[in-house]
Amino acid sequence: MTDPVRKAIAQERHRVADLIDSLSPAQLATPSLCGAWTVQQVAGHLVAAVGTPPGAMLSAMVRSGFRLHRANARLAVTTAAQPAAALADALRRHATAGFRPPIVGYPGQLTDLQVHGQDMRRPLGLPHGLGLDHLRMSLDFLTGGRAVGFTPRRRLAGLRLEATDLDWAYGAGAVVSGPAEALMMAVTGRGSVLGEIDGPGVRVLAARIP
């Protein structure tokens, strides 16, 4: 596999699988940073995104009134009913799956894995360091105009993002600076990381996070 984004996706799927295997039942039942989902349900979402048969996805869409977000939520909960070991095994088996989502493509898959991995780790107080090369790919994706479903374009209007641990910046306007991982989480609407970033643009960004 020579595509660096697909290689990163495979690495992150294995990384999340290792995380799942390491967690206790109480940790798996802990609320994540992602809405009302538990840590195990976030894992279910990541498995469903790559391991759901087409027929099951169509059925979920029909039951959800063809609302994609609702269908994904339904599939996440259903998939998460499996034992945690089965979820980890599925991520490893599908680590190199070649499916490319429309619009967001492979960078969207990588970003989904990185953001949701942190949704799982952060509430548990676990180390959540990500590779800076992977974070650069996700930051480029989130600011590249194709991050449909990840962040609304207006969220970044009039802001300049500057990573303090990576030679990366985007935009013009009020500065928001901080570690690349915290920037990624803030851009995708995780308000709990706002204390980890700095600059006059933080207040503007905070007002745009529901």
Side-chain angles (χ1 to χ4, degrees):
M1 185 186 302
T2 58
D3 183 340
V5 180
R6 290 190 62 189
K7 183 177 180 180
I9 289 169
Q11 291 172 346
E12 290 302 328
R13 285 191 180 127
H14 279 286
R15 190 166 179 262
V16 173
D18 291 344
L19 170 66
I20 295 168
D21 277 340
S22 74
L23 300 180
S24 68
Q27 288 174 311
L28 289 163
T30 298
S32 75
L33 295 186
C34 188
W37 285 351
T38 65
V39 167
Q40 182 152 340
Q41 287 168 339
V42 173
H45 163 71
L46 294 176
V47 171
V50 69
T52 300
M57 182 62 187
L58 178 59
S59 176
M61 287 290 287
V62 171
R63 293 198 305 272
S64 303
F66 291 94
R67 297 175 182 175
L68 182 59
H69 181 74
R70 187 173 293 180
N72 281 335
R74 186 186 294 271
L75 282 171
V77 172
T78 301
T79 305
Q82 301 177 58
L87 297 176
D89 179 65
L91 284 172
R92 293 190 180 98
R93 283 188 290 107
H94 294 287
T96 59
F99 170 67
R100 182 178 182 180
I103 303 177
V104 301
Y106 293 129
Q109 281 192 339
L110 174 61
T111 303
D112 201 48
L113 282 159
Q114 293 200 98
V115 171
H116 284 315
Q118 308 310 69
D119 286 338
M120 301 164 71
R121 295 181 183 93
R122 280 175 166 266
L124 298 174
L126 297 176
H128 47 81
L130 291 168
L132 291 177
D133 54 340
H134 293 187
L135 285 166
R136 183 190 297 277
M137 294 176 194
S138 287
L139 289 173
D140 285 341
F141 164 71
L142 291 168
T143 56
R146 301 182 66 182
V148 177
F150 286 84
T151 186
R153 290 192 180 188
R154 73 170 192 86
R155 183 172 289 161
L156 302 182
L159 296 176
R160 176 172 175 77
L161 307 179
E162 298 179 350
T164 55
D165 55 353
L166 186 63
D167 183 17
W168 182 92
Y170 165 83
V175 172
V176 177
S177 64
E181 188 256 348
L183 290 179
M184 178 186 72
M185 297 298 284
V187 167
T188 54
R190 275 60 177 180
S192 61
V193 307
L194 291 173
E196 301 172 32
I197 55 181
D198 196 12
V202 173
R203 182 176 296 180
V204 177
L205 180 58
R208 296 174 180 175
I209 295 177

